[in-house]
Amino acid sequence: SQTIHQWPATLVQPVGSPLSLECTVEGTSNPNLYWYRQAAGRGLQLLFYSVGIGQISSEVPQNLSASRPQDRQFILSSKKLLLSDSGFYLCAWSLPSGGGEQYFGPGTRLTVT
Amino acid sequence: SQELEQSPQSLIVQEGKNLTINCTSSKTLYGLYWYKQKYGEGLIFLMMLQKGGEEKSHEKITAKLDEKKQQSSLHITASQPSHAGIYLCGADLKIQGAQKLVFGQGTRLTINP
C-alpha cells in the first residue's frame, strides 16, 4: 500500500532563515506530487505540482521554490523566510494518469517568528 | 478561474442529528472530491463524484452531485463525535498531465454530546 511522509511535523524559524521541507511517497511509481499551503482563513492553496523528476510547475509567485530530485521525493524550500510564509504545509500525491483522488501527507506546521 | 463556495462555514449539531454541507461551483464540475480534516492533520479522502446525479455513500456519509454538475452536498446521518472535523470539497480543474484541485474554504463541524 502507498504511504506518504512529511517532515518535520512542526518547525519554528526566524524571519530571513532558510527552509527545507521534505515529502516522500512509498509504494507507487512516478506519482504526481503537490505542495499546498493552508493558512488560517484562506483555505487550501496549491503552490507547486510535479509530474516527474525535475519537472516543477509553480502556481503562484512567492518566496518559495520546489524541487523533485528523485521520483518519490518532493522538497519545498526558501532562501529567506517571510512572516507571511507561516502556515500548514501539505504534500499530496496522485496516480500518474492525471485522474482520480489525491492523497495527503500529515502536514508540517511552520511558524515564522 | 473556478471557485468553490462551501456552506455553512461552521456547523454545530447535537449528536445523533442529521446534517448537510453544500459545495457550489461557479463552473461545471468535472470531478468533485470530498475530504475530511482533523485540526493539525492531513486530509482524508472520503468520496469522488463525476457524473451528474451521482450519489455515493460510505457508512453514514452520503455525497451527491446534482444533475447540472455545479453543486454537491454531503449528508451525515445520525452524527457521531467521530464525524467532527473540517470538511473540504475540491474540484478537478481538468489540466492535462496533472490533476489540479481547487478547494473550498471548508466547513467546520462540531458534534455536541
Side-chain angles (χ1 to χ4, degrees):
Chain A
S1 62
Q2 299 86 4
T3 311
I4 179 168
H5 304 278
Q6 284 186 247
W7 63 89
T10 59
L11 192 59
V12 180
Q13 293 282 95
V15 169
S17 64
L19 172 75
S20 181
L21 303 181
E22 190 165 342
C23 170
T24 58
V25 180
E26 296 177 356
T28 187
S29 295
N30 195 31
N32 294 331
L33 297 173
Y34 309 83
W35 277 113
Y36 290 88
R37 178 169 59 204
Q38 190 175 35
R42 295 185 62 183
L44 203 61
Q45 181 186 33
L46 178 63
L47 303 176
F48 301 95
Y49 68 92
S50 171
V51 298
I53 296 174
Q55 301 178 61
I56 309 294
S57 296
S58 174
E59 284 299 289
V60 293
Q62 59 205 319
N63 185 42
L64 303 168
S65 62
S67 62
R68 185 171 176 172
Q70 299 180 42
D71 181 43
R72 289 168 287 179
Q73 184 185 31
F74 206 22
I75 297 173
L76 184 69
S77 304
S78 174
K79 293 182 179 178
K80 290 185 178 181
L81 282 169
L82 305 173
L83 285 174
S84 58
D85 292 324
S86 293
F88 191 52
Y89 288 83
L90 289 157
C91 181
W93 71 273
S94 68
L95 291 173
S97 59
E101 58 270 24
Q102 293 181 13
Y103 298 95
F104 285 78
T108 295
R109 173 77 57 191
L110 172 66
T111 303
V112 182
T113 60
Chain B
S1 61
Q2 185 158 25
E3 293 182 356
L4 293 179
E5 186 172 331
Q6 286 186 237
S7 62
Q9 292 185 357
S10 64
L11 190 56
I12 302 173
V13 300
Q14 205 72 23
E15 182 177 353
K17 297 295 185 182
N18 302 337
L19 64 104
T20 299
I21 298 169
N22 293 303
C23 176
T24 303
S25 172
S26 57
K27 298 182 179 181
T28 300
L29 293 163
Y30 293 101
L32 190 285
Y33 302 79
W34 282 101
Y35 288 85
K36 179 187 174 184
Q37 183 183 29
K38 292 194 173 181
Y39 180 76
E41 299 181 10
L43 278 65
I44 298 170
F45 171 73
L46 296 176
M47 278 172 277
M48 176 183 72
L49 304 165
Q50 288 186 307
K51 301 177 183 176
E54 186 175 11
E55 179 175 322
K56 288 186 177 179
S57 294
H58 176 67
E59 297 180 344
K60 293 185 178 181
I61 300 176
T62 300
K64 301 178 184 179
L65 183 62
D66 75 356
E67 291 288 346
K68 294 184 179 179
K69 295 175 67 176
Q70 286 197 269
Q71 185 173 35
S72 178
S73 61
L74 185 83
H75 184 76
I76 298 178
T77 303
S79 58
Q80 301 169 352
S82 61
H83 289 130
I86 301 170
Y87 289 82
L88 297 103
C89 62
D92 190 343
L93 293 179
K94 292 288 283 187
I95 304 296
Q96 276 195 332
Q99 180 220 34
K100 292 171 58 176
L101 297 182
V102 61
F103 285 89
Q105 293 285 78
T107 295
R108 185 179 294 274
L109 174 62
T110 302
I111 308 294
N112 283 338

